[in-house]
Amino acid sequence: MTSTANPATRNGGQILVEALRRNQVDTVYCVPGESYLPVLDALAGHASIRSIVTRHEGAASNMADAYGKVTGLPGIAFVTRGPGATHAANGVHTARQDSTPMILFVGQVASQAKEREGFQEVDYRQMFGGLAKWATEIEHIERIPEIVSRAFSVAMSGRKGPVVVALPEDVLFGVAEVADIAPVRVAQAAPEPRAAEELAALLAKAQRPLVIVGGTGWTPQAQADLRRFATAHNLPVAASFRRQDVLDNRDGHYVGQLGLGASPALTKTLGDADLLIVLGSRLSEVTSGAYELVRSPQPTQQLVHVHADPEELGRVYRADLPVNAAVTHAVAAFAALAQPAPGPRPWDAWTSAARAAYEAHNAPVARGAEQRGVELSAVVAHLSATLPDDAIISNGAGNYTVWVHRFFRYKQLGTELAPTNGAMGYGLPAAIAAKLARPDSTVVCFAGDGCFMMYPQELATAAQFGAAVIVVVVNNGMLGTIRMHQEREYPGRVSGTELRNPDFQMFAQSFGAYAERIEHESEFPAAFERARASGRPALLELVTDPLQITPAARLAQA
């Protein structure tokens, strides 16, 4: 790394912000705190870095995670010590389970107050040690460029993830002559030359192969290479949980999502497969069917497992062919395999059947005779058919997401913002970050009534910074997922799942947002166009039937 020849005397905040600028940071998300005032002052002097001030630290960390998903670069968040850090832990957990590059900077008490239980003091190495990829504290001003550089490297290397860096006040207010260093260059693992040959040999013996894609680190070129590989060998491709944007869902080789609400036909396909080619996914609990459809430690299927982090290979599953490589390099190597001889393959009918099952599962369902309110599948299908290919869909957690994942077809990479750790409230902050990062794209947030109320105040952030997101609030007056489980375990005994909501229209309008209430799906298309034409943040409340707990089941059937 190169350094500046004649470093100037600067305070710690100025040194830190310059290190961010050199590493291509253009946006930070924060809730201001007195513990990092020199950073806030330095940011004011850097026109190239935009500060998005959120109304809650959890929203700031969720926005940083969403930025990492959309751009592939680390999302940056700043929060104050103690309560600020504990609030922001939400986004750190999401970034860890979702393998999202992110750096959270946390104000810290001055060094002389440490281990005296100073005001809002927390040991951040302990607090985040099991949650982040790396948690550290800058104890000397001279080491700011070094530690920031390492934070970017850790966040982006191998399995991407969150880094937490604590900033003692005396380090930020201190002054020193410190040389800046060049931006981080991240190395990526490539597959061994024989890996592609071994894969070809396994394919030659297979009867029922299935490709499963997931994880992070995908690029448009990798997406194109995946399409070439799947097309050349006529392979069915399933997305792991909430990774549906890795392959255009309109492609004839895409066969659906292995996650909550997965079709029974797809889970049967997974169980019946004799060869799994897993690209980037960890094969988590949700994707693997609680480690039963893909058994741990020895799957019943032959397993090719590609992952950028060697520690993920062999961690849960014994692979027949473990490949330590970034997905970009792996799919390029697999796409370059010699073209198979012309003629039918043993699995041609298998691939066709899996695609047909996906299309049947993806078709909107008919309104039930007893159903009242909005039929959500029609709303999602309308957006899927009419939104531009680069439209971004965000969501948090709840049964409403089953409709989104089942009936929306994702077309481009980076258009699905959905937390694999099931974090409620994620959708609105994520949508705001996405709209600010891609202002020309339409950004739609789906949120349940309970999910939306986790961070509703971020409508103020959207209004202040001009993020014209459209929030679709699915209002069934309850915490539907928990109620579903409740009815299954304790039929008829309702506890803690009923919600008394505000007037969502009036609430949204109080922030200057456009708002409408919709009681039938036929009203939605025109209302959505009015919301989009408003040029403002917008909220569309969909009144849905609380008894329609999933697309296929009434609550009494739960």
Side-chain angles (χ1 to χ4, degrees):
M1 292 184 177
T2 58
S3 62
T4 57
N6 297 300
T9 299
R10 297 167 293 175
N11 68 32
Q14 293 168 323
I15 297 167
L16 174 61
V17 171
E18 177 60 21
L20 296 181
R21 187 193 68 80
R22 287 171 175 257
N23 281 283
Q24 303 178 53
V25 172
D26 58 14
T27 307
V28 301
Y29 308 92
C30 68
V31 174
E34 75 277 11
S35 62
Y36 65 95
L37 283 176
V39 173
L40 291 169
D41 181 71
L43 285 169
H46 271 275
S48 63
I49 301 178
R50 176 173 50 174
S51 297
I52 305 301
V53 179
T54 69
R55 302 308 174 96
H56 192 283
E57 291 88 355
S61 61
N62 281 326
M63 288 186 194
D65 172 87
Y67 179 95
K69 286 182 170 71
V70 168
T71 67
L73 300 172
I76 307 298
F78 279 88
V79 298
T80 197
R81 60 198 175 211
T86 53
H87 286 163
N90 183 308
V92 176
H93 183 254
T94 300
R96 180 60 172 170
Q97 291 222 324
D98 288 29
S99 303
T100 310
M102 169 185 167
I103 305 174
L104 174 68
F105 291 96
V106 182
Q108 176 62 299
V109 299
S111 300
Q112 59 85 22
K114 285 184 63 179
E115 298 187 4
R116 294 176 169 179
E117 198 177 345
F119 179 59
Q120 298 180 333
E121 180 184 3
V122 173
D123 183 332
Y124 298 108
R125 288 188 176 99
Q126 278 197 333
M127 175 180 169
F128 288 105
L131 200 58
K133 276 190 75 176
W134 181 44
T136 191
E137 186 166 311
I138 301 178
E139 296 173 340
H140 303 283
I141 188 172
E142 294 80 7
R143 295 191 65 191
I144 290 175
E146 170 204 341
I147 291 176
V148 171
S149 180
R150 181 179 171 188
F152 276 87
S153 180
V154 171
M156 290 292 290
S157 299
R159 177 186 169 189
K160 296 173 172 54
V163 171
V164 177
V165 181
L167 307 169
E169 280 190 64
D170 52 309
V171 171
L172 293 181
F173 277 96
V175 295
E177 291 186 1
V178 179
D180 299 306
I181 57 179
V184 166
R185 292 184 61 184
V186 177
Q188 291 187 332
E192 299 177 78
R194 62 194 175 107
E197 298 172 9
E198 290 187 48
L199 171 62
L202 289 169
L203 264 176
K205 299 176 183 177
Q207 298 292 312
R208 299 176 304 280
L210 178 64
V211 178
I212 301 175
V213 295
T216 53
W218 290 88
T219 64
Q221 181 58 54
Q223 195 178 42
D225 288 337
L226 171 65
R227 188 178 300 113
R228 280 201 298 136
F229 173 57
T231 301
H233 300 276
N234 195 28
L235 295 168
V237 180
S240 58
F241 182 44
R242 292 182 167 171
R243 300 300 192 198
Q244 291 163 265
D245 59 351
V246 173
L247 180 65
D248 188 335
N249 297 178
R250 298 168 298 186
D251 189 290
H253 298 90
Y254 179 79
V255 298
Q257 178 212 210
L258 290 164
L260 303 178
S263 76
L266 182 55
T267 57
K268 186 177 188 306
T269 297
L270 175 60
D272 290 345
D274 61 2
L275 174 64
L276 299 180
I277 304 170
V278 180
L279 304 175
S281 174
R282 293 188 295 113
L283 284 181
S284 66
E285 178 187 5
V286 176
T287 299
S288 67
Y291 310 107
E292 288 297 321
L293 294 172
V294 185
R295 297 218 169 165
S296 170
Q298 182 67 63
T300 56
Q301 311 93 333
Q302 286 198 297
L303 175 61
V304 177
H305 196 181
V306 176
H307 204 280
D309 193 334
E311 292 188 5
E312 289 299 324
L313 298 171
R315 180 184 178 193
V316 180
Y317 302 99
R318 180 201 169 277
D320 298 277
L321 175 56
V323 181
N324 177 211
V327 289
T328 50
H329 296 316
V331 293
F334 295 167
L337 281 171
Q339 294 292 312
R345 300 167 188 81
W347 56 80
D348 283 349
W350 160 265
T351 299
S352 296
R355 176 63 185 183
Y358 163 71
E359 291 181 343
H361 191 64
N362 179 248
V365 297
R367 166 183 287 276
E370 301 176 353
Q371 187 175 347
R372 53 191 173 88
V374 173
E375 169 47 56
L376 190 53
S377 70
V379 167
V380 178
H382 170 77
L383 293 176
S384 182
T386 60
L387 286 178
D389 288 0
D390 67 346
I392 297 171
I393 304 297
S394 73
N395 61 261
N399 266 27
Y400 72 92
T401 65
V402 173
W403 277 267
V404 180
H405 300 329
R406 176 171 169 178
F407 299 111
F408 193 87
R409 294 193 180 190
Y410 297 86
K411 289 89 176 175
Q412 290 186 7
L413 195 63
T415 57
E416 181 178 27
L417 293 180
T420 67
N421 72 331
M424 287 183 69
Y426 178 85
L428 178 54
I432 295 169
K435 186 63 176 176
L436 293 173
R438 292 188 185 173
D440 294 332
S441 295
T442 302
V443 180
V444 179
C445 164
F446 277 91
D449 47 343
C451 189
F452 173 73
M453 290 301 290
M454 293 284 182
Y455 294 112
Q457 71 279 358
E458 297 310 319
L459 282 175
T461 305
Q464 180 174 348
F465 292 96
V469 298
I470 301 173
V471 185
V472 179
V473 175
V474 182
N475 181 6
N476 64 357
M478 66 181 182
L479 298 171
T481 302
I482 310 307
R483 178 68 180 276
M484 179 180 69
H485 294 309
Q486 209 167 55
E487 292 290 348
R488 185 189 63 216
E489 301 294 338
Y490 307 102
R493 292 173 58 82
V494 180
S495 175
T497 52
E498 293 184 356
L499 298 176
R500 179 173 294 180
N501 291 314
D503 183 318
F504 287 116
Q505 276 186 276
M506 292 181 63
F507 181 81
Q509 289 166 349
S510 72
F511 293 98
Y514 181 86
E516 285 193 43
R517 177 183 169 95
I518 299 167
E519 298 186 354
H520 192 276
E521 60 272 18
S522 62
E523 304 167 11
F524 180 79
F528 184 83
E529 290 310 313
R530 287 190 291 269
R532 183 154 54 176
S534 74
R536 295 178 279 153
L539 183 148
L540 300 176
E541 176 190 359
L542 308 186
V543 180
T544 61
D545 190 341
L547 299 181
Q548 195 67 40
I549 201 68
T550 73
R554 304 284 287 173
L555 190 59
Q557 300 168 307

